[in-house]
Structure formats: C-alpha cells, structure tokens
Amino acid sequence: MNILLTGGMGYIGSHTATLLATAGHQVHIYDNLCNSNIETLARIKKITSKDIAFTHADIRDTKKLTQVLQDENIDAVIHLAGLKAVGESSKNPIDYYANNVQGSISLIQAMQASNIKTLVFSSSATVYGDPVYLPYDEDHPTSPTNPYGQNKLHIEEMLQDLAVSDAAWKIACLRYFNPVGAHESGLIGEDPNGIPNNLMPVIGQVVTGKLSSLNIFGDDYDTPDGTGKRDYIHVVDLAEGHLASLNWLNSHAGCHAFNLGSGDSYSVLELLHHFEAASGQNIPYQIVGRRLGDLPEYYAKADKAQSLLGWKAKRGLAEICSSSWLWIKNTRSH
Ligand SMILES: NC(=O)c1ccc[n+]([C@@H]2O[C@H](COP(=O)([O-])OP(=O)(O)OC[C@H]3O[C@@H](n4cnc5c(N)ncnc54)[C@H](O)[C@@H]3O)[C@@H](O)[C@H]2O)c1
C-alpha cells in the first residue's frame, strides 16, 4: 500500500514509518517539523534501506495535502501529526484546537477530495479522564480533564460522525497509553524540540548532563511507593499496532476505538530503577509537588486489540529501558 503518515517524523511516526517500510509498504511522510528533526529521515532510510518520500508542510494546508494525497496515489493515512504536551494545552488551548482539531478537519477534507477513506488516528488514553473503574476498556466513559484530551475526543467524535455519514470509511482510533523505548538500532527514539514533557527524554537529559536531576511529581499517591503508576508501552509494539490496524481495516468499515497498552502499570520509581539497572547509570531525582491533572494510576484493558487485531504488547520494561539507553547513548555522542 501507499501510506501517508502525517507527523511521521516524530517519535511514534518514525518507528511506524520504519516498520511499514520494512513490511514492504511505500511510505510518504508529511510533517511540518515543529517537533522533529529532518535528520530522522536519513535514519529511517538507513534502517530500512528503502526510499521514504517526505513533504515538509503543515496539515492545515489543505491544498498542499490534497495535492500530495493525489500525486502519490495514497491508499491510506496514519494521522499522527499533533501537539501533545498536556500542560501546554491548558496554557494555550486555542493553539491546540487550531493545530489538532482544525488540522484533522483539513486532513479529512483533503482525503474526501481525493476519495481516500482509510484512516488510522493517533488518539490517547487521556480521552478517558478520571477512572470510574480500572483497567480502562474502550467502553469506559470519556471525560478528558485537559484541552489536549478534549482535542482527541472531538476528533474521535468527528470521525464517528463521518463513518456514520458515509459507510465507505474505515477508521481506527488508537488510544495509546504511555509510549516509551526506542528502535533496537539506536538510530531513532524520542527526541522532542525544547523542554521534554515525558519521563524518558527527561531521564535522557539527566544522563547527558543537561539537567541535574529528575523531578518526580508527587510521592504521596495511593500506590505502593507513592509515585504515579502508568501503562508503559514499547514504541515498537505501538508501531506494530498500526500495521495490525491497517490490515484489519482492509475488511472492516466504520469507526473503531482500540486501546493500545500493555495492560500492566509501573510506578515512576520502578521505571527509574529498571533504567538504572539497564544503563548502569545513577539517576539523581527529587520529589516535587504533584502536577495538576495527573492521575494516581491508570492502565489499559487491551483485549479488544488482541481479539480483533491479533495485536498484543510483547516487549517489557527491560527491553524498554535497554533500547532507551542505547538511544540516549547515541544522541549523547552526536
Ligand atoms: N507520545 C505520547 O505520549 C502520546 C500518547 C498518546 C497519544 N499520542 C499522540 O500520538 C501522535 C504522535 O505523538 P509523538 O509522541 O510521536 O509526538 P511527536 O511530537 O514526536 O510527533 C508529532 C509530529 O507531528 C508533527 N506536527 C505537529 N503538528 C503538525 C502540523 N500542524 N502539520 C504537520 N506536522 C505536524 C511534529 O513536527 C512531529 O513530528 C500525536 O498525535 C500525539 O498526540 C502521543
């Protein structure tokens, strides 16, 4: 298939592009590089030994996007482009609506104009909000607690309406839990521009000396060691979830939500200790106040993805930490 990845130069997109190209698909990346680096393109090409097409443009440029979809004979789109910092979304909500919601409308319009109706969308576990029960399954009520999560829910609702209005659409909304880890080559990984928000890139900055210590936001949650517990999922497992979704959508119309998580949860301190064991590095940390909106614990019930898509997370914390360490070592040497 000819597959367009919006946001394909980012963390999850670069791993998904690599996997799809290796599986024999023709990959076209469309990204404005607002949170990624052009160097990633050469790295994906190096890992895959495949030609990867790239357009440097914004998804809100509907004309450009339509042109690329048509010129490249695209069959399906994986829509990863978006701003993703939860805290920032509360400070600048309109920027988030403009980029994430408006950008998705632009993409859908470009796809409609090009008669392309297969779409995999990067949604998020943040659509669920405060847990009514755990683990979250796909029927758990959706009540996001921040503008970023609202964006994801609005886009999912739009896609639901679209699939109802036209039965030819085949859509999967993948609700990711906490992506971590890196490609086994050590050539691609999470490398955000500016100050990172996620745990692993911050650990990376402590190891490389950019930060003196890791801030852990709260140790007084109702969890065994008091730090928040999350469902960490290896980014390569996540990439495999996209391929499994595309294959499944071949024979399934409608709009479908799937949790992509490991089904387990680990505390920040547990992840940190696994990372220290994998890397042989000591990571200094300090406990600071809780972050507004952080939940004590959440994790996925991922049975739907297993039974329908035949997908299951296979890689555990040891592999997550060793691949992250390889990536961090490599970025340090650049
Ligand atoms: N990483 C996570 O923790 C996580 C969790 C759940 C969901 N998601 C979602 O998955 C998707 C990918 O996340 P990621 O971690 O790879 O983030 P990322 O920031 O590394 O990648 C996103 C990419 O989209 C690009 N982009 C953003 N706005 C764009 C626009 N208007 N036009 C074109 N390109 C644009 C960025 O340059 C970047 O390369 C996002 O939609 C994110 O919300 C991420």
Side-chain angles (χ1 to χ4, degrees):
M1 282 211 280
N2 277 337
I3 304 168
L4 182 109
L5 278 76
T6 72
M9 295 286 273
Y11 172 44
I12 299 164
S14 56
H15 290 82
T16 305
T18 299
L19 184 80
L20 293 175
T22 307
H25 294 291
Q26 184 60 50
V27 172
H28 191 118
I29 294 177
Y30 187 105
D31 199 305
N32 69 358
L33 301 179
C34 70
N35 197 34
S36 47
N37 194 307
I38 190 66
E39 270 180 37
T40 302
L41 185 62
R43 289 157 177 248
I44 300 172
K45 288 182 182 172
K46 187 168 178 192
I47 300 170
T48 61
S49 305
K50 296 276 166 68
D51 185 30
I52 309 287
F54 173 60
T55 304
H56 183 190
D58 197 292
I59 51 168
R60 286 166 291 177
D61 185 344
T62 318
K63 205 169 149 212
K64 180 78 188 170
L65 194 45
T66 309
Q67 184 203 329
V68 172
L69 289 173
Q70 297 181 1
D71 289 354
E72 302 294 322
N73 286 318
I74 298 297
D75 301 303
V77 175
I78 302 184
H79 177 33
L80 304 116
L83 301 176
K84 62 165 182 177
V86 170
E88 190 185 60
S89 81
S90 297
K91 285 192 200 114
N92 308 315
I94 303 309
D95 289 352
Y96 271 65
Y97 280 90
N99 196 79
N100 296 352
V101 181
Q102 204 173 313
S104 299
I105 293 173
S106 167
L107 170 66
I108 295 162
Q109 288 173 330
M111 290 178 72
Q112 281 181 315
S114 314
N115 201 30
I116 300 162
K117 296 185 175 175
T118 303
L119 175 64
V120 175
F121 169 58
S122 298
S123 189
S124 165
T126 52
V127 296
Y128 294 120
D130 291 327
V132 177
Y133 55 84
L134 282 174
Y136 292 131
D137 58 25
E138 290 83 353
D139 296 324
H140 186 283
T142 46
S143 181
T145 55
N146 52 66
Y148 168 75
Q150 288 287 3
N151 290 172
K152 293 294 185 194
L153 186 58
H154 285 317
I155 298 164
E156 282 201 16
E157 287 169 344
M158 233 160 40
L159 295 173
Q160 281 287 355
D161 289 343
L162 181 65
V164 170
S165 75
D166 176 353
W169 279 88
K170 299 172 166 184
I171 303 169
C173 296
L174 305 182
R175 295 174 176 167
Y176 308 156
F177 280 68
N178 290 75
V180 280
H183 192 264
E184 61 183 6
S185 62
L187 285 172
I188 52 173
E190 189 170 11
D191 188 18
N193 296 338
I195 300 161
N197 289 284
N198 290 347
L199 184 56
M200 245 347 152
V202 176
I203 290 179
Q205 295 208 344
V206 175
V207 175
T208 51
K210 277 191 196 151
L211 288 173
S212 55
S213 71
L214 168 74
N215 283 341
I216 295 181
F217 300 101
D219 67 349
D220 54 355
Y221 286 109
D222 186 16
T223 59
D225 65 24
T227 64
K229 292 184 78 181
R230 294 290 175 268
D231 182 334
Y232 294 105
I233 170 152
H234 196 298
V235 66
V236 177
D237 279 327
L238 206 54
E240 289 174 355
H242 294 75
L243 184 56
S245 304
L246 274 179
N247 291 339
W248 185 79
L249 286 178
N250 255 329
S251 51
H252 295 86
C255 179
H256 310 268
F258 292 99
N259 283 343
L260 294 188
S262 70
D264 286 323
S265 74
Y266 294 96
S267 74
V268 176
L269 283 177
E270 279 175 298
L271 184 71
L272 185 69
H273 295 324
H274 270 87
F275 183 84
E276 288 182 326
S279 64
Q281 305 285 311
N282 173 42
I283 311 293
Y285 67 87
Q286 55 183 356
I287 306 292
V288 298
R290 291 181 181 194
R291 255 186 328 199
L292 200 68
D294 272 355
L295 297 170
E297 177 177 25
Y298 65 83
Y299 58 105
K301 187 169 169 66
D303 298 15
K304 186 177 170 189
Q306 185 169 2
S307 63
L308 297 187
L309 308 179
W311 174 90
K312 191 176 183 302
K314 298 190 291 247
R315 298 161 178 87
L317 272 198
E319 210 167 328
I320 283 170
C321 291
S322 58
S323 61
S324 296
W325 172 229
L326 183 63
W327 164 241
I328 289 167
K329 268 194 299 194
N330 280 358
T331 46
R332 183 167 58 176
S333 62
H334 295 147

